[in-house]
Amino acid sequence: MRNLTLLTDFYELTMMQAYHYAEAETGRKQMAVFDMFYRENPCGNGYAVAAGLAQLIDYIKNLRVDDDAIAYLRSNGTFGEAFLDFLKTFRFTGEIYAVPEGTVVFPGEPLVRVSGTLIECQLIETAMLNIVNHQSLIATKAARVCWAAAGDRVLEFGLRRAQGPDAGLYGARAAIIGGCHGTSNVLAGQLFGVPVGGTHAHSWIMSFDSELEAFECYANLYPKACILLVDTYDTLRSGVPNAIKVFKKLREAGKQLSYYGIRLDSGDLAYLSKRARIMLDEAGFTDASIVASNDLDEYLIAELKAQGAQITVWGVGTHLITSKENPAFGGVYKLAALSEAGQEWQPKIKLSEDPVKVTNPGVKKIYRLYDAATGKMKADLITLSDEVIDNHADLTIFDPLATWKRMTLKAGEFTVRELLEPIFAKGECVYPEYTVAQIQEYAKKERDTLWEEHKRLVRPHIMPVDLSQKLYDLKQSMIVKAR
């Protein structure tokens, strides 16, 4: 594991030194609470999928400013010896709460809540945003692609188009969390225990004297996982007929065809897949898969399915691994409360001319409200940390920007779940380790609690994310006082 401690913006370190200097001058240690949240769902989606927590945990566990880092910072000429001495023994000692990876989340609600000394909370801002923003973006994009595929297998094929090795590696992991069935990324398979797979390239076909010879050689090597790329020369007049010849030879030789079929990587995928399906079926290969690739995204997949394309597996690369339509998640990290050690938290608020950028003050938590009859989400409610919400009484919630929009949930007709879970306590990780397969299954169950209207690709229904009356009143009083 690389030491990522200096994976930070320079101003985080200059602020840390200033905080350290102020503490030395005053003898008072400031404590802080920060929230990491985002303001707008990516890709016009109705929700996002939180991801990146596992790497964030590794980052926090390994926060160490080693001798090489100290020497580099000293050479910069900005940092004094007292601060560098402090960094030599720096460790994270605070608390972190977060939503579990795979959780369906919405704008404005804290995905991560950090509390500790102001210095340590400040240091981890940049790396946290880098990790959680990227992986949540790709997990959300994958969820959209998988929804469009409507139960078909989706494979992540984007490593060669990713924005560098880390983006390819952790993007593959996030894509699996978002619903993909496997990845072409071998290192991701090794590190994260996720399924890997693929077919072969056009160069394989071109390296032989004939397409048929190339198919035969490949099939003899991989009879139990034989997907043949059929569009190197002529899909319907050469590729598919030659693939059928090979499948017949395998069957006649008594070899089990457990997973086999063809891959289409160019042309009109709807027309070609329908024609290929007829040819395969007439030859007796009704269970042969038809895999498609070629710059696919959720919109094209949905359109191809609407046109009756006979594709059963989708290999999605560039548009998924880069989230090409919306390449940044936009999460932010804002101060929510301050105190001196041992004192009560004092809420803090950031104001803006743009109402959506006015932050929610104080130490907060999130309650998710479900319809008791269906198990589907009704709304999320952000409250102050000392509030308790249950389903034993009627609950009225309201839109914090359009307060006339109200909804009353009747006692017993809804259930309640608190989303933020403890990750670090007094600097020690208290969160269990989950496999990617376990996180993927949890993420699927999370998405199953969404109504279909929230999942559609274009103009989805917006899930209410409301403030408790107590939090709303605090926010309004702080706005009035500041103005």
Side-chain angles (χ1 to χ4, degrees), residues 95-115:
E95 295 185 346
I96 295 179
Y97 280 72
V99 299
E101 281 195 279
T103 301
V104 166
V105 291
F106 304 100
E109 52 194 29
L111 309 188
V112 185
R113 188 184 79 204
V114 182
S115 59

Side-chain angles (χ1 to χ4, degrees), residues 264-467:
L264 303 170
D265 190 50
S266 61
D268 187 328
L269 297 178
Y271 170 75
L272 292 173
S273 66
K274 286 186 277 189
R275 293 299 305 161
R277 182 78 272 162
I278 292 171
M279 296 166 71
L280 290 164
D281 290 352
E282 288 179 346
F285 299 106
T286 56
D287 58 344
S289 295
I290 299 179
V291 181
S293 47
N294 189 29
D295 274 344
L296 297 172
D297 64 10
E298 63 269 42
Y299 301 107
L300 182 53
I301 291 172
E303 185 65 25
L304 288 169
K305 291 187 73 69
Q307 293 173 12
Q310 296 298 298
I311 296 163
T312 53
V313 182
W314 307 85
V316 187
T318 304
H319 288 267
L320 171 53
I321 203 65
T322 66
S323 187
K324 190 172 181 179
E325 174 194 8
N326 190 150
F329 190 70
V332 296
Y333 184 78
K334 299 298 181 183
L335 180 66
L338 282 176
S339 77
E340 291 187 16
Q343 303 298 312
E344 289 187 1
W345 291 111
Q346 300 300 312
K348 295 293 179 178
I349 191 170
K350 173 190 175 294
L351 300 184
S352 171
E353 297 300 320
D354 185 348
V356 77
K357 289 191 174 183
V358 178
T359 61
N360 294 317
V363 185
K364 300 173 290 297
K365 55 187 177 182
I366 315 163
Y367 285 101
R368 179 151 291 166
L369 312 175
Y370 300 89
D371 180 79
T374 64
K376 300 291 188 182
M377 294 184 203
K378 296 287 288 183
D380 277 1
L381 184 66
I382 307 174
T383 76
L384 292 171
S385 61
D386 61 354
E387 296 186 75
V388 177
I389 304 296
D390 58 40
N391 65 345
H392 296 136
D394 292 356
L395 176 66
T396 297
I397 58 177
F398 58 92
D399 186 317
L401 295 180
T403 57
W404 63 90
K405 296 181 180 180
R406 293 176 173 261
M407 173 170 54
T408 298
L409 306 177
K410 297 295 184 181
E413 295 182 0
F414 67 100
T415 60
V416 178
R417 171 190 167 208
E418 194 172 334
L419 292 189
L420 290 172
E421 297 187 9
I423 311 299
F424 281 84
K426 296 181 179 179
E428 297 295 326
C429 183
V430 296
Y431 190 72
E433 184 176 348
Y434 295 101
T435 66
V436 177
Q438 289 172 321
I439 298 169
Q440 183 191 56
E441 180 60 27
Y442 166 74
K444 180 182 181 302
K445 291 178 180 177
E446 277 285 283
R447 296 194 302 278
D448 287 345
T449 65
L450 286 165
W451 301 88
E452 288 304 303
E453 291 82 354
H454 294 105
K455 299 179 186 178
R456 61 180 176 244
L457 301 179
V458 180
R459 296 179 63 84
H461 191 68
I462 302 302
M463 183 70 70
V465 178
D466 296 340
L467 306 184

Side-chain angles (χ1 to χ4, degrees), residues 34-113:
F34 280 79
D35 294 329
M36 189 247 161
F37 61 95
Y38 71 103
R39 298 189 178 106
E40 185 177 354
N41 287 320
C43 307
N45 211 38
Y47 64 95
V49 177
L53 180 59
Q55 190 185 14
L56 177 61
I57 289 172
D58 285 340
Y59 161 74
I60 297 294
K61 285 180 176 179
N62 291 282
L63 277 175
R64 302 286 188 276
V65 186
D66 59 25
D67 291 342
D68 288 343
I70 293 294
Y72 169 72
L73 294 176
R74 180 180 289 115
S75 71
N76 181 270
T78 302
F79 304 104
E81 289 302 317
F83 179 60
L84 294 176
D85 286 342
F86 164 76
L87 289 181
K88 290 176 183 177
T89 59
F90 176 84
R91 301 291 185 271
F92 182 80
T93 63
E95 295 185 346
I96 295 179
Y97 280 72
V99 299
E101 281 195 279
T103 301
V104 166
V105 291
F106 304 100
E109 52 194 29
L111 309 188
V112 185
R113 188 184 79 204

Side-chain angles (χ1 to χ4, degrees), residues 125-197:
E125 173 182 7
T126 301
M128 175 188 298
L129 290 173
N130 176 275
I131 291 167
V132 176
N133 275 339
H134 172 249
Q135 294 182 49
S136 298
L137 175 69
I138 304 305
T140 304
K141 184 68 169 181
R144 285 172 60 82
V145 171
C146 292
W147 185 84
D152 295 343
R153 288 170 54 83
V154 176
L155 304 176
E156 184 277 309
F157 278 0
L159 178 57
R160 62 189 60 192
R161 301 289 174 78
Q163 316 290 18
D166 282 356
L169 182 63
Y170 288 98
R173 181 183 183 276
I176 299 293
I177 290 172
C180 289
H181 295 77
T183 176
S184 65
N185 188 326
V186 180
L187 184 57
Q190 179 192 13
L191 293 180
F192 307 130
V194 300
V196 296

